[in-house]
Amino acid sequence: MSGQTVFYILAGAAILSALLCIIQKNPIASVLWLISTMFALAGIYVLLQAQFIAAIQVLVYAGAIMVLFLFVIMLLNLGRDTGDLRGMPVRLAAVLVAGGLLGELVLLARVTPGSMALLRGTAVGAGTPMASFPAGQAGAAAPGAQGVVGAIAEPLFRTYLVPFEITSILLLAAVVGAVVLAKRKL
Amino acid sequence: MTFSLLAALPQVGEMTVATGAARWVWLAVAFPLVGFLVNGALALKRPEAKTAVSVVGTGVLLAAFAVAATVFVQLRGHPPDAPIIVSLWSWIVSTGMDIQFAFQVDQLSVVMLLVVTGVGSLIHIFSVGYMRADAGYARYFAYLNLFVAFMLVLVLGSNLPVLFIGWEGVGLCSYLLISFWYGDKANADAGKKAFLVNRIGDLGVLIAMFLLWWQVRSLEFVTIAARVPGTLPVDGGIIIAITLFLFLGCVGKSAQIPLYTWLPDAMAGPTPVSALIHAATMVTAGVYLVARNSVLFAMAPTTSMVVAGIGALTALFAASIGLRQYDIKKVLAYSTVSQLGYMFLAVGTGAYVAGVFHLVTHAFFKALLFLGSGSVIHAMHHAYHATHSHEDAQDMRNMGGLRKYMPWTFGLMLIATLAIAGVAPLSGFFSKDEILAAAFGRGETHKIWLLFWGMGLAAALMTAYYMMRLMAMTFLGDNRTGAKEREHLHEAPWIMTGPLVVLGLLSLIGGVINLPAFFPAGPHHVLDGWLEPVVAAASRLMPVAMPHGATEWALIGGAVTIAAVGLVLGWKLTLANPIPTAHDAPEDTGFARVLFRKYYVDEIYDALIVRPLVAFSRVVLWKGVDQGLIDGVGANGSAGLARALGWIGSRLQTGQLGFYVVVFLIGAVWLLRTVAQ
Amino acid sequence: MLLGPSLLVSAILFTIGVVGVMLRRNAIVLFMCIELMLNAVNLTFVALSQVLGLGGQVMVFFVMTVAAAEAAVGLAIILAIFRHTRSVDLKNINLLQG
């Protein structure tokens, strides 16, 4: 089974799970289908040479965050069919808006030499063949030398050190905020 | 572009560079202005400091008179060929326009300067006695000083805009002083009336200025006088329009038909104000304006005829109203309107010097008459005040026999009466005779001038009559003031009588400044010679043919006879029957009633102009424009629109998150459209 | 060379998340849809990091952190609202109504 085939299987699973997630009436089922989506995405990450991200996707997202969701749903005892879909006018509007958005995103997702050059910030001459740009090299070359985790630690603790520290403050604030909001009386 | 246009025009008026005292002529304006500031400050902070006010108020006037006299002496020693222009600063500078704040010193402005500061000084001194007891003493002198400053700006301005500052300024001071006792609504209304009626005339001056700038590209008097004869056709539409609009301003300011109605009401102000502003100086500004622009008027014979016609008609009309007035000041007011008519008859005829001559002599004797009447009112007021009577202190029917109590005032006012009636050889005789002779002389060109002459003659008869009637009712016969009040009647203090004596002397001998050739003694035609450089250009355009020889003697004889007849009639008819006091006088009947009610002109104006205007203002402007358009559409409408928009906006705030999301996404999709091509 | 297909999958997942946000009234499901959208964006980052370097993966790391913080605070808010209205249905939550 080639990587391509696996990718398409995982992509199909992710999309299907996502669809099921949003159309389930029961919130608990929704959570479970979302977790399914995240697992499928983790597989795709592996295929895209991002093994570390795949790992924390499973650990943090599917593991921690979604469990928190599940916990709250169960805490509030919302695990019943409530029928919370909106009315027909909104559904129609949603379909229209989503159609437009999808069309635009698909247009944006086209991979062309021009769009890649735009992203890299380098000018590309007309008629440059698509194959000429070193696809995957930047991502693939680094893990070879430093290992998967070391490759991502390098930019994280050098280039992005300050944002990294700021996220710690953000998390601290979030913890304090969550406690303040959730507690009845401090 | 404009500069090349200017260069292409013919010669600009000549002017002489200021030297000597003439350079300091602005001091004549500055002194009263300082007086205004000091007295105004005192009025606000220390109104009880009356001695300081008296010293400052009269001192600045005497200083201004000293400046005027010095300038006069200099000009007399070295008469300039062209006007001396004293430029103080550039006032309005724009493309092709450079209006200087400049004063023009020439023979005409010096005459006006002397009259305004001279008579003004006397009236200020008189006011010290007259207004002493008034609570608004400092305010009064502040206004009076300000008036003199503006009046001097008016007569000294070297161009129309500067003149217009003075023109509007004296109007303002006139308003302030008419409504001086503003506690009484009638006085405040009189002030408003004067202000509003003058606005009509001011509009005329403004339009004339616009036309002049459009046609001549200059507002300087000397330049206008030099350029207009070469650029505009004689008696053409433009020059007639310019002069008629200028004359409209004169009609307003100098109280001619049809805008004279404000002047009799202006007597609501203190009597010295009536003497200074509404007799001697401000109201003569119109005559000065015509004389100053004599070239323009000489180039528009049609306008000149209108000026003379309006003047003659006003002289006759106002004199006839004066015949049946009982208020001593009202008689003098109508007399002033009538005499101003004479002056316009003169300048319309082309006898500009005669007009200015009459202006000067009239300033003497009319100021004397007003101040004399002020003395009388002062005495009457004190008498009634002492006995707490509420009779009218100005009604001549309450007077009579005052000669015994006020001999000086009587004597001096008699001189003025004889002067205004035209009895030889008093001042009024010469000036009035010159005007009538000029009108008669012009009769050779067109018969209508003979009609004007006849009207002037009839007005002279009436003048003699009503003045003698005034004298007889006030000073002769038995006293009607009342037994108790009679003991309190007394002559005014010397600070009031002193200026009267000076004015009496001037009224008596004022004629010397321009004696006619037939007069046996003295230098002849002094004023003619003095003003010759100013009016020469106009006189060449519109020469006046003065009658000579037998005709002249006949005219003089006729005029003097008429004056004598009028005086005798006024005396005899007034005292023929006992005069009832104002309290129990019967209503006038017949034509006398029409005259007493001033031909109902005020009522006619009220019905034709004021009421429709008020109704229009109420219905259209107030209810329609103000309440409907501005309040309704403007204020409430915009508020309503804002509220409606706010209501629509608030309907959008449903609080439903889903709705917000949909709207937000619609916006996001719409924006992404540009990125995703 | 899975860049193009990955971006396409990301677009589809994101749109599904948007549709979910618009269609559902349950606040918690709404949050889950937002997580779905964040995941779609993460996929884009990872896919592009193949081509443009590892900065994209670092960004995913940050997104996860923010998502965790958001989930914690958001769920606490939902908890507080539930205590107040005994419901997490958005039609009952319209305090912003003008």
Side-chain angles (χ1 to χ4, degrees), chain B residues 506-517:
Chain B
L506 289 169
S507 303
L508 202 60
I509 60 160
V512 295
I513 62 172
N514 205 26
L515 290 176

PDB file of all heavy atoms in Angstrom, chain B residues 506-517:
ATOM      1  N   LEU B 506     -21.607 132.508  16.943  1.00  0.00           N
ATOM      2  CA  LEU B 506     -21.347 131.911  15.636  1.00  0.00           C
ATOM      3  C   LEU B 506     -22.575 132.021  14.735  1.00  0.00           C
ATOM      4  O   LEU B 506     -22.461 132.266  13.535  1.00  0.00           O
ATOM      5  CB  LEU B 506     -20.942 130.441  15.800  1.00  0.00           C
ATOM      6  CG  LEU B 506     -19.555 130.203  16.396  1.00  0.00           C
ATOM      7  CD1 LEU B 506     -19.370 128.747  16.765  1.00  0.00           C
ATOM      8  CD2 LEU B 506     -18.473 130.644  15.419  1.00  0.00           C
ATOM      9  N   SER B 507     -23.762 131.813  15.305  1.00  0.00           N
ATOM     10  CA  SER B 507     -24.974 131.939  14.504  1.00  0.00           C
ATOM     11  C   SER B 507     -25.126 133.371  13.993  1.00  0.00           C
ATOM     12  O   SER B 507     -25.610 133.617  12.895  1.00  0.00           O
ATOM     13  CB  SER B 507     -26.206 131.577  15.339  1.00  0.00           C
ATOM     14  OG  SER B 507     -26.081 130.286  15.857  1.00  0.00           O
ATOM     15  N   LEU B 508     -24.715 134.291  14.838  1.00  0.00           N
ATOM     16  CA  LEU B 508     -24.868 135.692  14.499  1.00  0.00           C
ATOM     17  C   LEU B 508     -23.951 136.081  13.342  1.00  0.00           C
ATOM     18  O   LEU B 508     -24.383 136.712  12.373  1.00  0.00           O
ATOM     19  CB  LEU B 508     -24.527 136.532  15.746  1.00  0.00           C
ATOM     20  CG  LEU B 508     -25.069 137.941  15.832  1.00  0.00           C
ATOM     21  CD1 LEU B 508     -26.584 137.910  15.794  1.00  0.00           C
ATOM     22  CD2 LEU B 508     -24.602 138.572  17.146  1.00  0.00           C
ATOM     23  N   ILE B 509     -22.691 135.675  13.459  1.00  0.00           N
ATOM     24  CA  ILE B 509     -21.707 136.157  12.482  1.00  0.00           C
ATOM     25  C   ILE B 509     -21.190 135.054  11.573  1.00  0.00           C
ATOM     26  O   ILE B 509     -20.252 135.262  10.802  1.00  0.00           O
ATOM     27  CB  ILE B 509     -20.505 136.813  13.193  1.00  0.00           C
ATOM     28  CG1 ILE B 509     -19.833 135.772  14.115  1.00  0.00           C
ATOM     29  CG2 ILE B 509     -20.943 138.034  13.971  1.00  0.00           C
ATOM     30  CD1 ILE B 509     -18.426 136.138  14.471  1.00  0.00           C
ATOM     31  N   GLY B 510     -21.774 133.867  11.655  1.00  0.00           N
ATOM     32  CA  GLY B 510     -21.273 132.752  10.861  1.00  0.00           C
ATOM     33  C   GLY B 510     -21.255 133.026   9.380  1.00  0.00           C
ATOM     34  O   GLY B 510     -20.522 132.399   8.625  1.00  0.00           O
ATOM     35  N   GLY B 511     -22.076 133.965   8.962  1.00  0.00           N
ATOM     36  CA  GLY B 511     -22.141 134.272   7.536  1.00  0.00           C
ATOM     37  C   GLY B 511     -20.843 134.791   6.966  1.00  0.00           C
ATOM     38  O   GLY B 511     -20.637 134.727   5.756  1.00  0.00           O
ATOM     39  N   VAL B 512     -19.951 135.281   7.819  1.00  0.00           N
ATOM     40  CA  VAL B 512     -18.721 135.889   7.294  1.00  0.00           C
ATOM     41  C   VAL B 512     -17.879 134.910   6.514  1.00  0.00           C
ATOM     42  O   VAL B 512     -17.046 135.303   5.711  1.00  0.00           O
ATOM     43  CB  VAL B 512     -17.848 136.514   8.402  1.00  0.00           C
ATOM     44  CG1 VAL B 512     -18.545 137.668   9.056  1.00  0.00           C
ATOM     45  CG2 VAL B 512     -17.439 135.455   9.413  1.00  0.00           C
ATOM     46  N   ILE B 513     -18.085 133.622   6.758  1.00  0.00           N
ATOM     47  CA  ILE B 513     -17.204 132.693   6.053  1.00  0.00           C
ATOM     48  C   ILE B 513     -17.526 132.667   4.568  1.00  0.00           C
ATOM     49  O   ILE B 513     -16.743 132.172   3.775  1.00  0.00           O
ATOM     50  CB  ILE B 513     -17.254 131.273   6.655  1.00  0.00           C
ATOM     51  CG1 ILE B 513     -18.659 130.679   6.535  1.00  0.00           C
ATOM     52  CG2 ILE B 513     -16.777 131.275   8.088  1.00  0.00           C
ATOM     53  CD1 ILE B 513     -18.697 129.223   6.945  1.00  0.00           C
ATOM     54  N   ASN B 514     -18.687 133.180   4.166  1.00  0.00           N
ATOM     55  CA  ASN B 514     -18.970 133.198   2.727  1.00  0.00           C
ATOM     56  C   ASN B 514     -19.931 134.341   2.374  1.00  0.00           C
ATOM     57  O   ASN B 514     -21.049 134.119   1.945  1.00  0.00           O
ATOM     58  CB  ASN B 514     -19.561 131.858   2.280  1.00  0.00           C
ATOM     59  CG  ASN B 514     -19.294 131.601   0.816  1.00  0.00           C
ATOM     60  OD1 ASN B 514     -18.330 132.112   0.263  1.00  0.00           O
ATOM     61  ND2 ASN B 514     -20.158 130.824   0.193  1.00  0.00           N
ATOM     62  N   LEU B 515     -19.462 135.536   2.581  1.00  0.00           N
ATOM     63  CA  LEU B 515     -20.328 136.683   2.288  1.00  0.00           C
ATOM     64  C   LEU B 515     -20.512 136.812   0.784  1.00  0.00           C
ATOM     65  O   LEU B 515     -19.572 136.596   0.013  1.00  0.00           O
ATOM     66  CB  LEU B 515     -19.693 137.958   2.843  1.00  0.00           C
ATOM     67  CG  LEU B 515     -19.676 138.052   4.374  1.00  0.00           C
ATOM     68  CD1 LEU B 515     -18.919 139.311   4.785  1.00  0.00           C
ATOM     69  CD2 LEU B 515     -21.074 138.063   4.938  1.00  0.00           C
ATOM     70  N   PRO B 516     -21.715 137.159   0.327  1.00  0.00           N
ATOM     71  CA  PRO B 516     -21.914 137.378  -1.118  1.00  0.00           C
ATOM     72  C   PRO B 516     -21.290 138.697  -1.559  1.00  0.00           C
ATOM     73  O   PRO B 516     -20.977 139.560  -0.741  1.00  0.00           O
ATOM     74  CB  PRO B 516     -23.436 137.393  -1.247  1.00  0.00           C
ATOM     75  CG  PRO B 516     -23.932 137.825   0.080  1.00  0.00           C
ATOM     76  CD  PRO B 516     -22.935 137.343   1.096  1.00  0.00           C
ATOM     77  N   ALA B 517     -21.146 138.835  -2.849  1.00  0.00           N
ATOM     78  CA  ALA B 517     -20.432 139.999  -3.401  1.00  0.00           C
ATOM     79  C   ALA B 517     -21.148 141.307  -3.103  1.00  0.00           C
ATOM     80  O   ALA B 517     -20.525 142.357  -2.943  1.00  0.00           O
ATOM     81  CB  ALA B 517     -20.259 139.828  -4.905  1.00  0.00           C
TER      82      ALA B 517
END
